[in-house]
Amino acid sequence: MPPKTAPAVDRTGLAILLMCLTCLIFAVQDGFSRVLGQEYPAFLVVMIRYWVFAVFVIAMVSRQPGGLKRAIRTKRPVTQMIRGALLGMETVLMVEAFVRLGLIETHAVFAACPLLIAALSGPILGEKVGWRRWAAIGAGFLGILVILQPGGGVISPESLLPFGAALMFALYGLLTRKVSRDDPSMVSFFWSGVAGAFSVTLFGIWEWQWLAPGDWIWMAALCLFGMTSHYLMIRAYELAEASALQPFAYTQLAWASIIGILAFGDVLRPNVVVGAAIVVAAGLFTLWRQRVRSA
């Protein structure tokens, strides 16, 4: 009925707007991470950020029905801890990649994440991956090769950092879908923050050093933007389905490229543009096929 259709459209439109804003904030905080990562170990930067994030998570879940007691209670504690650890380590790899490769190339390779999720959904979740999606996955990896230019020499270890991060984030996403069969979203949100903070602290605490007074401002901005982006993302997913929002996550690549060029002097090389276009196109096709199959 017309009175019910209009609000649904408004909710989806608002969710898309929030998702695009979230991606902009993610790109800005990536810039903050690069600034700090140039001066301090990546584990230290991520550890402090995760301490604040864990406090934010605890505060958020405490306001939900059942509070902390409900959030701690999970039917898959080991999987939840692995999820949190994967997200924490993925963040460390991304910060290191920002410093070594820049924002543009890092995000261009990281854009392969939906393709990795599609490729691994079979062995991990038992989902069937048809030949069309396999073709898109193959095209996406061809795009990564265009970005990395292996023909120009041996691929450097640094160039594999964002791919490793994408693989970890893909595993995190698949395990999130797996635990969602037994645990509500706020339980998974709690374990992502707390388990992630714990795992990163195991390594980061040995890198401890006091930040320079001016760098605490950068760290405060990083933490503030991190909490804001996660809150907006939660609100977006409350308003619309993930399948409708996921394509707009690619806007982070555009924002990161703009920030990389203007703030850090990164160079947008032609092979990166072509390769990223192939990866994004393949990812969008994969998301579309998944949406068709689930319709």
Side-chain angles (χ1 to χ4, degrees):
M1 297 175 64
K4 295 182 179 180
T5 303
V9 173
D10 292 341
R11 285 170 61 91
T12 301
L14 178 59
I16 291 172
L17 180 62
L18 289 176
M19 189 65 178
C20 292
L21 180 59
T22 298
C23 290
L24 171 59
I25 297 175
F26 273 146
V28 173
Q29 75 183 50
D30 288 344
F32 293 154
S33 295
R34 178 172 175 178
V35 170
L36 290 167
Q38 290 172 339
E39 302 295 332
Y40 304 98
F43 268 112
L44 175 65
V45 174
V46 176
M47 179 181 69
I48 297 174
R49 173 184 166 185
Y50 253 94
W51 286 349
V52 177
F53 179 55
V55 173
F56 169 71
V57 167
I58 292 172
M60 286 284 291
V61 300
S62 297
R63 300 173 57 187
Q64 301 299 312
L68 279 175
K69 287 185 178 179
R70 178 64 190 94
I72 294 172
R73 212 162 52 241
T74 172
K75 295 181 179 179
R76 295 177 178 268
V78 175
T79 306
Q80 290 284 17
M81 286 188 284
I82 292 174
R83 281 181 60 253
L86 282 170
L87 187 60
M89 296 302 134
E90 176 266 335
T91 308
V92 172
L93 286 184
M94 286 295 281
V95 172
E96 196 67 39
F98 294 150
V99 175
R100 295 173 181 266
L101 298 175
L103 298 181
I104 298 176
E105 190 163 329
T106 296
H107 277 287
V109 176
F110 188 79
C113 187
L115 301 173
L116 291 170
I117 290 176
L120 296 173
S121 61
I124 295 179
L125 299 179
E127 296 180 357
K128 182 179 179 181
V129 181
W131 69 268
R132 294 180 182 85
R133 283 204 285 172
W134 276 120
I137 292 168
F141 286 115
L142 177 62
I144 293 177
L145 291 178
V146 172
I147 295 170
L148 299 181
Q149 284 187 314
V154 178
I155 297 178
S156 65
E158 288 83 0
S159 64
L160 298 178
L161 286 171
F163 184 79
L167 177 59
M168 286 186 175
F169 195 73
L171 291 171
Y172 165 81
L174 289 168
L175 291 180
T176 298
R177 283 160 59 180
K178 194 177 185 70
V179 297
S180 67
R181 299 169 180 171
D182 300 299
D183 293 333
S185 58
M186 290 310 292
V187 172
S188 295
F189 183 53
F190 170 81
W191 282 93
S192 294
V194 174
F198 177 77
S199 62
V200 173
T201 301
L202 286 178
F203 298 93
I205 198 66
W206 306 106
E207 306 276 2
W208 176 260
Q209 56 181 290
W210 288 103
L211 275 60
D215 291 334
W216 282 110
I217 299 176
W218 288 108
M219 179 59 72
L222 174 62
C223 294
L224 178 62
F225 274 62
M227 290 186 292
T228 303
S229 59
H230 277 88
Y231 175 76
L232 292 177
M233 186 166 62
I234 291 171
R235 290 290 298 131
Y237 282 120
E238 287 176 350
L239 294 171
E241 295 181 359
S243 59
L245 297 178
Q246 190 58 42
F248 295 93
Y250 283 113
T251 59
Q252 186 176 350
L253 174 58
W255 291 122
S257 299
I258 293 171
I259 292 172
I261 293 170
L262 297 180
F264 299 100
D266 290 348
V267 178
L268 190 60
R269 294 183 291 118
N271 67 294
V272 175
V273 175
V274 174
I278 296 173
V279 172
V280 171
L284 289 174
F285 177 80
T286 302
L287 292 169
W288 174 75
R289 284 298 303 172
Q290 182 179 356
R291 191 171 183 179
V292 169
R293 287 177 59 85
S294 59

